[in-house]
Amino acid sequence: MDARQLAQEDFERAYRKGFWRKLSSWFTGQRNELLPFDAVRERIPIRGQHYAGIQQVPVAQIVGSLGRYRDFDRAFLPRQDRTRSRWVSIDSAHIEDTILPPVDLFKVGEIFFVRDGNHRVSVARERGQEFMDASVIEIDIPVPLTADTELDDLELKAEYARFLEQTGIEQIRPEADIELTLPGEYERLLEHISVHRWYLGEGRGSEVPYEEAVASWFDNVYSPMVDLIDEHQLVSDFPDRTCADLYLWIIEYEWFLREAFRHDYSFQVVSSQFKERFTGCLLYTSP
C-alpha cells in the first residue's frame, strides 16, 4: 500500500473520530470548537506584538485558528470532507519523511492560533506528535489565556481586562491576582474600591486619588481577606472558584449578617456560616 492510500485511511479514521467527538459534545454539553482568533481580538485589548522566531511549540496548546476554525474541532480533527485532499497530501509527506516548512502561529497568552498550516497541525496531532516547528508572532494581552479557555470564557476575560485597565492594579500592585469565574462580578469589585475610596476621603476630609484608593483597598481590605481564606483553606470547599470569588461572596455575606442581625461577626463565624449555607452540607441557622 503506497503512502497516499495509507494517508487516505488515516483521514477516514480522523474524520470518524471527529464525528464521534461531535456527537459526544452534543450529549455532554462540552464545547468542541476551535477558538476563532477574531473573537479574541474583538474582546481582549491587544497591547502590542513582536516576532518571537522559530520555536518548538506544544501541539496541544494550538487551540485556535484565524480562518479555518470551522473546518476542524478542538482536537484539530477534520470536520469537513472538503479538507480531505490537502490533509491526505500532508499526511503522505509525513509517511514519506518529507520535511515540511514550519507552520505560522500567533501566540496569545499561553495558547496558539494558526495563521497558516491548519492541515499540518491536524495531521501532527492525529499522528501523536507532541511538538512541531512554528514561526511565532507573540501578541501581548493583559489577561491569561490557557489551553482550556473556551469561547464562552472570552467575555469574562474581557471584563477582567477592563478591570485591569480601569484600576491600573497591574502597575500599582504587580503581585495582584484577582481573577473571577462569573460574569458581572468585576463591576462589584469596582464598587468595593469606590466605597473604600469614599471612606478614606471621609476620614481624611479630602478626596483621595483613585490610584491610592486602589492600593489601600488591595493592601487593607482584599489581601487580608484572601490571607484568611487561604488560612482556613476555604477554596477546597469550592474547588471551581477562586480566592477572588470567595472574597466577594464572604465579604458581602458579612455585610448581610451585620445588616440582618445588627451585630459584627468574626471571620471564623462568617466563613463557617457561609460554608454551611452554600456548600449544602448543613442547614443554615442564624448566628
Side-chain angles (χ1 to χ4, degrees):
M1 189 178 293
D2 64 18
R4 190 162 187 84
Q5 289 174 308
L6 289 171
Q8 288 281 3
E9 290 186 359
D10 287 345
F11 178 82
E12 291 292 345
R13 182 167 53 252
Y15 191 55
R16 286 194 300 270
K17 285 168 66 175
F19 173 75
W20 289 115
R21 274 179 61 92
K22 180 168 69 173
L23 282 185
S24 177
S25 70
W26 284 346
F27 287 117
T28 63
Q30 294 180 337
R31 303 302 296 263
N32 189 36
E33 301 94 346
L34 285 175
L35 288 177
F37 179 76
D38 284 347
V40 175
R41 185 173 59 184
E42 289 167 3
R43 291 168 173 81
I44 310 297
I46 292 175
R47 292 173 168 174
Q49 65 181 51
H50 66 275
Y51 179 60
I54 304 294
Q55 303 179 14
Q56 283 262 302
V57 169
V59 175
Q61 287 178 229
I62 307 174
V63 296
S65 177
L66 269 70
R68 307 299 293 270
Y69 54 88
R70 291 189 179 92
D71 290 344
F72 303 92
D73 70 8
R74 188 62 173 242
F76 262 95
L77 291 166
R79 302 179 71 175
Q80 312 287 346
D81 189 66
R82 65 171 177 263
T83 64
R84 177 190 298 268
S85 177
R86 180 64 177 155
W87 201 100
V88 167
S89 175
I90 297 294
D91 194 41
S92 297
H94 273 273
I95 293 169
E96 294 172 342
D97 291 326
T98 301
I99 297 176
L100 298 172
V103 296
D104 292 333
L105 306 177
F106 279 130
K107 183 181 182 185
V108 186
E110 297 177 20
I111 61 179
F112 297 86
F113 294 78
V114 182
R115 299 171 61 213
D116 181 61
N118 291 275
H119 295 82
R120 280 171 278 167
V121 173
S122 178
V123 169
R125 186 149 183 178
E126 177 60 13
R127 296 181 71 83
Q129 192 172 321
E130 293 187 11
F131 294 89
M132 64 189 308
D133 291 334
S135 174
V136 177
I137 293 176
E138 190 162 352
I139 295 177
D140 183 26
I141 60 172
V143 295
L145 294 184
T146 60
D148 58 355
T149 299
E150 301 286 355
L151 187 59
D152 293 343
D153 299 330
L154 292 180
E155 187 54 46
L156 185 59
K157 297 290 185 182
E159 289 183 17
Y160 188 21
R162 290 193 291 269
F163 173 80
L164 294 176
E165 182 179 7
Q166 184 166 339
T167 60
I169 200 164
E170 282 182 297
Q171 291 74 43
I172 297 169
R173 292 294 182 268
E175 72 276 16
D177 180 14
I178 308 176
E179 193 159 3
L180 299 166
T181 64
L182 296 173
E185 301 289 79
Y186 285 106
E187 285 297 322
R188 294 167 63 197
L189 279 185
L190 292 172
E191 290 173 6
H192 284 208
I193 294 171
S194 294
V195 169
H196 183 71
R197 184 188 184 194
W198 182 84
Y199 277 114
L200 287 176
E202 286 293 292
R204 185 178 299 180
S206 62
E207 186 175 5
V208 174
Y210 188 74
E211 294 80 4
E212 182 181 340
V214 170
S216 176
W217 169 81
F218 181 80
D219 294 342
N220 301 305
V221 181
Y222 180 79
S223 291
M225 177 70 78
V226 167
D227 288 343
L228 287 169
I229 289 168
D230 284 336
E231 180 183 335
H232 289 80
Q233 300 180 339
L234 292 181
V235 173
S236 63
D237 295 299
F238 303 89
D240 295 327
R241 303 305 176 193
T242 65
C243 282
D245 290 323
L246 292 177
Y247 158 81
L248 262 181
W249 299 342
I250 289 174
I251 203 168
E252 294 196 3
Y253 190 60
E254 180 185 14
W255 291 345
F256 162 75
L257 292 178
R258 188 184 304 130
E259 289 297 312
F261 302 106
R262 303 298 178 183
H263 184 74
D264 289 332
Y265 297 97
S266 69
F267 179 85
Q268 181 68 44
V269 170
V270 173
S271 62
S272 176
Q273 289 282 329
F274 183 83
K275 282 201 300 183
E276 289 174 4
R277 181 177 181 118
F278 295 106
T279 60
C281 298
L282 298 171
L283 293 174
Y284 169 74
T285 56
S286 62

